[in-house]
Amino acid sequence: MVHVALPGERWEVEFFADRGPEVEVFRSDGTIGGHEKVAELLRNAAD
């Protein structure tokens, strides 16, 4: 697996011997959160 980090974007590229690569792209909407956002993410992860 290869992780590529770009400003506002991250790619996960996984290579397989028996088929082609799989790519997943994660994009940021540019919003930056603080401690409230961390608390929200932890609450959602606990559900």
Side-chain angles (χ1 to χ4, degrees), residues 1-46:
M1 180 176 287
V2 175
H3 291 175
V4 179
L6 302 169
E9 194 167 289
R10 183 171 56 87
W11 308 342
E12 291 181 359
V13 185
E14 194 164 358
F15 298 90
F16 298 93
D18 60 341
R19 59 185 191 274
E22 292 181 356
V23 181
E24 191 167 3
V25 178
F26 302 89
R27 287 194 176 97
S28 171
D29 65 2
T31 303
I32 298 175
H35 66 280
E36 300 90 0
K37 187 64 173 180
V38 173
E40 175 189 339
L41 292 169
L42 292 173
R43 274 193 311 274
N44 291 342

